[in-house]
């Protein structure tokens, strides 16, 4: 396939690596221009292009940028996107980063907002896994602890194509229904970032509470931003699994967690007293 990726940060660069390993042709774009993407081109063989060319003639487009950037994408971005090509949206709404988006604050599903702005349907996935897990934790089909990713969207053909790709890069693909249901794995919900298996994921999606999710998103991002900024992502996943009740904490793990919290807090304290 020929795949366009808009966004070359944490998620975009990892997806470019995975897709190139499957021998797909990958076009990649960021906001600063192709001349700033020589390293990822060298490392992966992805082809840097201007944003305005990232959707031209591709079989699949991945949009993986902060939500605040979506309204400023080129107006004719999708003019040369083939009608059958799905768009994957990996986006998550974080007001401190993205600013206040009134429609989402009023309850519009995040990917429905993105879809309205683009004027094109999207498939929502890769938003509920941290970059470290996406990079390192793909496993062959049938492996114990293989992570499942929810995939929501309204077009059956597009969803199948995306599900096949998710499976090919090492994750179980779980059909999470139409795009309107994708709020069930937005930030602040139990299915957001616990690296669930395909057995664990359905009940997490069922437990999602639409009213409580934004508050839970804001309090956890405040905690991560202010208290444990350098919390390593693998530990973050462990904590999320504990909070969602997927794992229970044994006494030795408690000790390890307390030790980690103290060491992260200590290094933050040292850094702030040095600056
Ligand atoms: N990080 C995670 O663990 C994670 C996990 C799942 C989902 N997500 C979500 O996925 C999205 C991307 O996250 P990320 O962590 O990969 O972000 P990131 O590391 O900050 O990278 C963002 C990328 O988007 C590009 N970009 C920003 N605005 C753009 C625009 N208007 N046009 C073209 N390119 C633009 C940036 O280009 P420049 O550098 O040139 O500005 C950069 O390459 C976000 O919505 C995030 O919430 C993140």
């Amino acid at each position: 396939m020929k795949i366009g990726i808009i966004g070359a940060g944490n998620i975009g660069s990892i997806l470019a690596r995975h897709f190139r390993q499957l021998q797909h042709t990958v076009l990649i774009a960021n906001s600063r221009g192709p001349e700033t993407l020589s390293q990822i081109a060298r490392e992966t063989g992805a082809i840097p292009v201007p944003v305005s060319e990232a959707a031209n003639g591709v079989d699949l487009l991945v949009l993986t940028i902060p939500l605040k950037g979506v309204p400023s994408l080129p107006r004719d971005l999708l003019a040369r996107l083939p009608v059958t090509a799905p768009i994957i949206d990996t986006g998550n709404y974080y007001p401190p980063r993205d600013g206040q988006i009134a429609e989402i604050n009023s309850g519009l599903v995040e990917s429905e907002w993105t879809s309205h702005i683009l004027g094109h349907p999207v498939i929502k996935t890769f938003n509920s896994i941290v970059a470290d897990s996406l990079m390192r934790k793909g496993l062959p089909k049938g492996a114990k602890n293989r992570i499942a990713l929810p995939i929501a969207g309204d077009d059956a053909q597009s969803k199948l194509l995306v599900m096949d790709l998710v499976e090919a890069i090492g994750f179980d693909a779980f059909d999470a229904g139409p795009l309107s249901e994708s709020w069930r794995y937005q930030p602040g919900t139990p299915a957001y970032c616990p690296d669930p298996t395909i057995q664990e994921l359905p009940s997490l999606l069922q437990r999602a509470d639409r009213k409580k999710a934004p508050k839970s998103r804001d309090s956890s991002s405040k905690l991560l931003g202010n208290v444990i900024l350098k919390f390593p992502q693998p530990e973050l996943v462990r904590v999320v699994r504990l909070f969602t009740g997927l794992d229970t904490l044994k006494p030795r793990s408690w000790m390890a967690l307390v030790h980690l919290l103290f060491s992260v807090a200590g290094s933050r304290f040292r850094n702030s007293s040095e600056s």
Side-chain angles (χ1 to χ4, degrees):
M1 277 199 293
K2 187 174 172 187
I3 302 176
I5 302 180
I6 299 179
N10 296 302
I11 300 299
S13 61
I14 292 167
L15 289 177
R17 277 186 177 75
H18 284 316
F19 298 158
R20 286 292 302 139
Q21 274 167 9
L22 296 171
Q23 309 297 324
H24 295 303
T25 299
V26 174
L27 310 181
I28 192 158
N30 65 1
S31 75
R32 288 166 294 149
E35 63 284 0
T36 64
L37 291 170
S38 48
Q39 189 178 346
I40 186 163
R42 233 183 0 258
E43 287 174 4
T44 67
I47 304 163
V49 294
V51 183
S52 56
E53 293 173 21
N56 293 357
V58 298
D59 303 296
L60 169 72
L61 180 67
V62 181
L63 182 63
T64 181
I65 67 175
L67 263 65
K68 67 176 175 192
V70 177
S72 61
L73 288 168
R75 281 176 157 239
D76 57 353
L77 174 70
L78 306 180
R80 272 174 278 167
L81 181 75
V83 280
T84 53
I87 300 180
I88 292 179
D89 171 29
T90 80
N92 291 309
Y93 174 48
Y94 281 102
R97 178 192 66 187
D98 297 318
Q100 298 295 331
I101 300 177
E103 296 95 322
I104 298 179
N105 289 345
S106 308
L108 184 62
V109 173
E110 293 168 17
S111 280
E112 290 188 326
W113 177 84
T114 298
S115 174
H116 291 166
I117 304 270
L118 294 177
H120 198 284
V122 301
I123 304 284
K124 172 93 156 190
T125 193
F126 297 126
N127 73 299
S128 60
I129 180 167
V130 297
D132 174 76
S133 299
L134 184 62
M135 177 78 180
R136 294 190 305 110
K137 293 191 182 169
L139 289 171
K141 183 94 184 149
K144 190 172 169 257
N145 296 335
R146 197 183 200 222
I147 297 169
L149 298 183
I151 299 162
D154 299 331
D155 181 74
Q157 279 302 111
S158 299
K159 209 194 280 189
L160 274 181
L161 185 147
V162 173
M163 290 177 82
D164 282 348
L165 191 64
V166 165
E167 293 276 353
I169 67 168
F171 299 92
D172 280 330
F174 181 82
D175 186 342
L179 195 66
S180 57
E181 285 294 291
S182 62
W183 64 269
R184 291 185 180 277
Y185 51 100
Q186 288 180 178
T189 60
Y192 188 69
C193 299
D195 286 0
T197 63
I198 195 107
Q199 289 78 27
E200 293 168 335
L201 181 58
S203 68
L204 295 175
L205 294 169
Q206 278 312 311
R207 279 168 46 197
D209 183 325
R210 197 165 183 167
K211 282 211 178 99
K212 287 186 183 158
K215 201 169 169 199
S216 167
R217 170 201 67 208
D218 291 346
S219 50
S220 53
S221 72
K222 205 168 173 186
L223 181 72
L224 291 172
N226 293 337
V227 184
I228 45 177
L229 190 63
K230 290 181 182 158
F231 215 62
Q233 285 194 338
E235 303 306 328
L236 177 66
V237 171
R238 284 177 63 196
V239 172
V240 175
R241 288 185 64 84
L242 290 172
F243 273 96
T244 50
L246 291 175
D247 290 340
T248 49
L249 205 50
K250 300 182 187 86
R252 274 177 59 197
S253 315
W254 268 114
M255 294 298 290
L257 186 61
V258 169
H259 182 261
L260 177 75
L261 280 168
F262 272 107
S263 60
V264 173
S267 75
R268 272 180 62 76
F269 178 74
R270 278 193 300 281
N271 290 345
S272 62
S273 32
E274 279 160 16
S275 56

